[in-house]
Structure formats: structure tokens, C-alpha cells
Amino acid sequence: MLHRSKYIPSVIAYILILALTLVGCGTSSDSGNTPSTSENQNQTKTTQETAKPNDPPVELTFYIANAPVKDMDRIMDAANKIIKEKINATLKLVVTDWSAYPQKMNLMISSGEPFDLAFTGSWGELNYFQNASKGAYLDITDLLDKYAPVTKSRVPESIWQGVKVNGKIYGSINYQVWGMAGAKGVQLRKDFADKYNFDWKSIKNWNDLTPFLDAVKKGEPGIIPWEYSNQADNFADMPLIYGMDSVGDNKIPGWIRINDKDVKVFNQYETEEYKDYLKTFRNWYVNGYIKKDAATMKDYLPDRKAKRIAALYANPYPDLVDMPELGVQSFMSQAPPEDKVYSYSKRFTEPFIPANSPSTAIVAVGANSKHPEKAVQLIELLNTDDSLFHLLAFGEEGKDYKKISDKQIEMIKDMYNFNWSEWEIGQSYGRMLWDQNANVELSEKMLSMIYEADKTAAVSPVMGFVFNSEPVKTQIANVDATLKEYLYTLDSGSVDPDKYYTEFLNKLKKAGADDIIAEKQKQIDEWKKANGK
């Protein structure tokens, strides 16, 4: 099945966004979108213009989030042979657990510690827009045109608008195989849904899941009925579920409704939708459907790999109602494919392109990088050299995976595994290979639906608008501190909203939430006027 991010989570997420989670499983391919001969010639010309054989190779650091990766040194040795030959540089890939990655990057940014490249986004605690607006990342607008023309050309100009801050690009978009248009919904373990005769096709919202979660809790010891983590908050990171879209980073107050032509900004935490959400998740937590330590959960991967999750948020488009035949290869997200833990997927929403979709998966150049030109050259190389991309994604052919057809591979057990994180290092659109369990014909039919949705789906009314947080940066810092104090405990159901909800709202107001909302509204009104909207 197709990789999707968390957060993804949206995107995610595009968003990678999933989802984060970016949420999904398996691998994918779209032969119709692989780099053309002219693209590769352009890339080769660009690197030859700047690579000087007599110069010592430059070492570039690239920070990403990932679980520990076996045999990373072996793969990096092989990767660096390619990188050194092509752009006279070497890559030091710095891997940090998801649980610690956002904090690590934010600390590096605060201290001014230099780095060349880093994965980021506008979900969870990655704060792409905030960090870009305060000078953490380098403006690469001109560098993309000069050193990464293929990377730039693959993404429509309208989508690049979605990552600009004050008219400048501060991150390269990792355009992914799941496209830009996303639907939001859930993924359930098929064996449990069948065992308890759960009518998964009829579910339309969180509350409809309660009977299933209850049955799993009572009948399946050791299984977590519903997944929750900081990196895939089921409200703050998923506005589309509630008919809303975020303006700027997802968690900061100030959302809009996707069907509101007037584009009025409001505090999403004051809505009836949020109040209803809190009641549902508090009920789920009290009844044991959510882990007791959910409020502090930052890394969901171990539970997924151990097959302990019965249900989770997903980006299921198309879902099994759209394409029932996908059931033969629909596995629970990030469970070992060889275990064939089948799933049902059901979307709650229509396909939609949120304003934050472009910023779901981004590679940024550090503002204090000593080698920004080389860093952007590496972005281009990762996005155009399929041998390098597949090496990092899957390892070495014959050692880590077997190629069983032109488009399918079989991973060799207990060897190198990048934990489905290739979406962090570059554009996977049209470059992935299908897992041996996939039906290629069905998978490519699915991709054709996804790419068609990119052309036809409704688009956020604020697509292309980027919030400049500078006028309210103090209020945002204060609000962010309040969110860290209250949001995850409330959203996971860990505390009683009757006791803490009003206190949470009052502290948001005191921290400056209303100022932020007013500033967002002011900027949107000016943007609408300037663009004739």
C-alpha cells in the first residue's frame, strides 16, 4: 500500500503528511512521472558547472527524524560515492528519533547552531512558517532556479506559493506519490472489524468508532484500540475533519472554514466542533481506548511495528469504498508487510487541497549553512538521481532487497530498512517501487485517481496566502507555551475538559490569541484585496 506521512498526521500532508502522519504503508511507483532525459541533462549540467574536481569534497549535514536504521554506515558509504562523483560533496545524514526531533531542531535553531539541510513542515512541533519568518532558514528562491531547476519545475507554481514567507521560498517541497489532494479518515484492523462484525463502511465521524474501540478493549488484551500521539494530534493537526483549514502553523489559533467565501478567521479552540471532540476523546480515554501516557507519546512507530494498534487516523484516498479491490494489498500502517496485517480504510471527507499541503514535507537549508549552494545541489541530486534515492530508501539491491520485476521489490528481512521515511529526503512523486505484496495494476489505478484529484479537488480559499508572524511573534511564543501546557492533555482525553477547558481558553487569550487572530484577518483581507479575491 502507498506510503503516507503523519502527520503526518496531512499531509501528510504534499502533507506527510499525513500524516502525519503522515500515515500509510508499503511503497509505490508511477512510471509516467519519472525524470525525463532532458531533466537529467539539466541536472548534470547544473552540477558540472559548480563541481570542481581539484577542490576537496564538502561535507553536508542533513537532519531528519527516523527510528534507528540498521546498516546506515554501509548505505551512506555507497551513497557518498555517488554524491562525491556528481557534486564533489559527501552527506552526513543525522538521524534522530521522532520523539526528540522537533525539540532537537528547535534548540539548534534557537542557539544558532549551523546545519546544511533539515526536514521540516508546518505540523506537529516542526513550525516551518514560524522558523522561516524568524530567520532560521535560508532564502533559497534564487538558488532553486540556479541549482535545482528540475526540483523546482516538478511542482506547480501555485503550490510553491504555499511555502513562501514574505514572497520568498525557504524550503524545497518534497512532492510525494500521494499527491496534494487529501481526504481524512481512519484505518482499522480488518481481523478485528470482521471478528466483531463492525460496519466500517457506514462510519462518518469519531463517535461512530466507539462500538469498535469498545469491542477491541474488552476482547483483545495488549491491543491499543486507538492511536494518539503528539505527532498526530486528532484535532489540531487535522482541520479538514471539521470542515476547517489552518492559517499558518496548524496549532496556533486562527483557522477558517473551507466553505466560507468571506474567509473569517476564528479561534478553533472556541468552536462547538472542538468541544464535541473533547467530550469524545475524554470518553475514549476514560474507557481505556487510548494509552494512559498518550499525552506524552511522541513516537508511534514502535506500536505500529509491533501490530499493537487497532485503529488510527489516516489519509485514505482512495479508500476501500472508492476502490474495494484495494483490499488485497491494504495493510495496517507500518506493520511489517510480511505479516500481512490487513486493514479497512474509510474516509470521512471529500478530497481537498488545504493551504498547508505544500508545507507538509519540506527540506530547508539552514540560515547559517557554510555551503548553501552545495546544499541546494544535493537537494537536486536527491530528487533526480533515482539510484541514489532508491539506495537511501531501500538499500543495496541483492543485499537489502530483491528486484522481482521492473516495478516491484522484496525487502530482505533483518537487513537495512529506512522505516518508510524516504519522503523526508526528497520528492518521491513518480520514483517509488512497489512492495512485492502490491498488485501493480491496482496500485497504478489508485495513483491515477490520486493525481486526477490533484487537478479537480476543491482548494483552500487561502491557498497562496502565507501568514507573516513577525508582527505578533511575542504573542505566538506565549501562545505556543500555553499549547504545550494544555493541548496534548486535553486532546488525548487525559484530563477532564469540564475542569480545564475554560482555563485553557483564558490562558490563550491572556497569551495573545486574539491579537494573532486579528493579525491573520488583517493580512488575509489585504491579500484578498491585492489579488482580487
Side-chain angles (χ1 to χ4, degrees):
M1 193 178 170
L2 195 63
H3 274 179
R4 303 207 179 155
S5 192
K6 63 179 274 302
Y7 292 102
I8 346 24
S10 254
V11 173
I12 322 283
Y14 132 7
I15 211 221
L16 117 251
I17 128 20
L18 108 290
L20 159 102
T21 224
L22 312 140
V23 177
C25 55
T27 54
S28 62
S29 172
D30 177 26
S31 57
N33 287 282
T34 53
S36 66
T37 301
S38 61
E39 283 183 339
N40 287 323
Q41 287 174 343
N42 287 339
Q43 191 272 335
T44 300
K45 182 180 177 182
T46 302
T47 55
Q48 286 176 343
E49 287 175 350
T50 54
K52 298 178 181 178
N54 295 328
D55 291 344
V58 168
E59 182 181 71
L60 299 170
T61 56
F62 190 164
Y63 287 79
I64 68 166
N66 206 333
V69 179
K70 183 178 180 180
D71 287 343
M72 175 68 84
D73 289 345
R74 169 171 60 86
I75 298 304
M76 291 310 303
D77 286 344
N80 278 321
K81 289 179 182 178
I82 299 172
I83 297 169
K84 184 177 180 181
E85 177 185 349
K86 294 293 181 71
I87 64 170
N88 196 33
T90 59
L91 169 61
K92 181 180 180 181
L93 198 60
V94 184
V95 174
T96 302
D97 278 344
W98 269 110
S99 60
Y101 182 74
Q103 182 181 18
K104 177 184 179 71
M105 291 311 303
N106 288 328
L107 285 173
M108 288 178 64
I109 288 167
S110 297
S111 66
E113 184 177 344
F115 60 89
D116 296 303
L117 297 167
F119 171 77
T120 186
S122 60
W123 47 269
E125 297 179 1
L126 295 174
N127 301 329
Y128 163 73
F129 291 112
Q130 290 182 49
N131 287 331
S133 66
K134 68 183 183 184
Y137 308 133
L138 189 72
D139 169 13
I140 59 171
T141 311
D142 295 334
L143 293 177
L144 281 172
D145 289 329
K146 185 173 183 179
Y147 298 116
V150 177
T151 295
K152 182 79 178 295
S153 67
R154 282 207 187 117
V155 182
E157 179 57 32
S158 60
I159 301 301
W160 284 110
Q161 296 299 319
V163 299
K164 287 184 177 180
V165 176
N166 295 327
K168 303 295 184 180
I169 297 172
Y170 289 87
S172 176
I173 297 172
N174 285 355
Y175 199 26
Q176 301 299 324
V177 289
W178 58 82
M180 286 287 172
K184 308 301 179 185
V186 296
Q187 188 181 51
L188 314 176
R189 270 188 57 165
K190 179 181 183 298
D191 53 350
F192 296 152
D194 290 346
K195 180 178 179 179
Y196 298 110
N197 298 311
F198 182 63
D199 182 15
W200 62 274
K201 292 183 180 180
S202 298
I203 57 177
K204 298 178 180 179
N205 53 48
W206 300 132
N207 288 324
D208 290 344
L209 287 166
T210 300
F212 173 72
L213 303 181
D214 189 63
V216 170
K217 174 62 179 177
K218 293 175 179 175
E220 306 297 331
I223 297 295
I224 302 163
W226 180 260
E227 175 188 273
Y228 177 91
S229 81
N230 290 183
Q231 299 305 316
D233 184 272
N234 299 140
F235 184 84
D237 288 329
M238 301 167 194
L240 183 56
I241 288 278
Y242 314 98
M244 305 176 194
D245 197 11
S246 58
V247 178
D249 293 286
N250 289 2
K251 292 183 174 62
I252 298 298
W255 287 5
I256 63 168
R257 295 191 183 274
I258 62 177
N259 59 358
D260 178 12
K261 294 181 180 179
D262 293 330
V263 195
K264 296 301 181 184
V265 184
F266 54 87
N267 187 338
Q268 64 269 27
Y269 302 114
E270 293 180 339
T271 62
E272 291 302 316
E273 288 88 346
Y274 186 56
K275 294 176 186 177
D276 290 342
Y277 167 89
L278 292 179
K279 290 178 184 177
T280 297
F281 274 70
R282 177 59 178 171
N283 176 61
W284 286 5
Y285 183 87
V286 169
N287 284 288
Y289 308 157
I290 297 173
K291 290 180 72 171
K292 291 299 181 185
D293 62 348
T296 58
M297 276 289 296
K298 293 184 178 180
D299 189 356
Y300 53 79
L301 193 58
D303 285 333
R304 291 189 184 186
K305 284 187 168 185
K307 301 171 290 185
R308 288 194 289 262
I309 306 294
L312 66 153
Y313 156 81
N315 298 292
Y317 182 75
D319 65 6
L320 292 188
V321 176
D322 297 318
M323 281 186 66
E325 62 268 39
L326 281 176
V328 298
Q329 63 189 52
S330 180
F331 304 132
M332 285 298 288
S333 177
Q334 294 171 319
E338 63 271 16
D339 291 348
K340 296 187 176 182
V341 185
Y342 288 97
S343 70
Y344 290 129
S345 62
K346 176 66 167 60
R347 60 185 173 95
F348 295 162
T349 70
E350 294 301 313
F352 178 78
I353 303 181
N356 273 357
S357 286
S359 56
T360 297
I362 294 177
V363 175
V365 177
N368 296 322
S369 169
K370 296 179 180 178
H371 310 287
E373 294 87 358
K374 283 288 185 188
V376 178
Q377 287 180 54
L378 179 58
I379 289 174
E380 180 81 335
L381 188 64
L382 289 167
N383 288 337
T384 56
D385 191 310
D386 286 356
S387 62
L388 175 61
F389 182 77
H390 291 150
L391 177 65
L392 293 171
F394 306 119
E396 295 181 284
E397 183 177 356
K399 291 184 179 180
D400 305 294
Y401 70 91
K402 302 174 186 175
K403 200 166 185 180
I404 58 178
S405 74
D406 286 343
K407 298 182 179 181
Q408 285 182 289
I409 62 171
E410 178 182 357
M411 298 300 293
I412 298 173
K413 193 172 184 179
D414 297 327
M415 297 302 294
Y416 173 83
N417 189 319
F418 203 54
N419 297 314
W420 302 290
S421 293
E422 71 289 327
W423 55 277
E424 293 184 60
I425 60 171
Q427 299 173 338
S428 67
Y429 191 96
R431 309 175 68 203
M432 297 299 292
L433 299 171
W434 292 106
D435 181 83
Q436 79 272 16
N437 294 299
N439 179 306
V440 173
E441 184 178 348
L442 283 181
S443 300
E444 294 192 342
K445 178 183 176 182
M446 174 178 65
L447 282 183
S448 70
M449 291 181 67
I450 290 170
Y451 299 149
E452 183 61 28
D454 274 0
K455 302 173 186 175
T456 60
V459 176
S460 170
V462 290
M463 177 62 76
F465 169 77
V466 176
F467 175 55
N468 175 17
S469 62
E470 186 65 23
V472 285
K473 62 181 181 181
T474 300
Q475 292 93 325
I476 285 177
N478 293 335
V479 163
D480 192 51
T482 299
L483 291 171
K484 285 182 170 65
E485 181 180 358
Y486 287 91
L487 187 66
Y488 300 127
T489 54
L490 279 167
D491 284 10
S492 63
S494 301
V495 297
D496 185 352
D498 290 340
K499 294 182 179 179
Y500 292 97
Y501 173 65
T502 301
E503 182 178 313
F504 171 52
L505 290 185
N506 289 338
K507 286 204 172 184
L508 282 179
K509 286 182 178 295
K510 186 176 180 180
D514 291 343
D515 292 342
I516 297 169
I517 291 167
E519 182 63 30
K520 287 184 177 183
Q521 188 69 66
K522 173 187 173 185
Q523 292 184 26
I524 286 175
D525 291 344
E526 292 171 347
W527 171 78
K528 287 173 61 182
K529 184 177 180 180
N531 290 275
K533 293 183 179 290

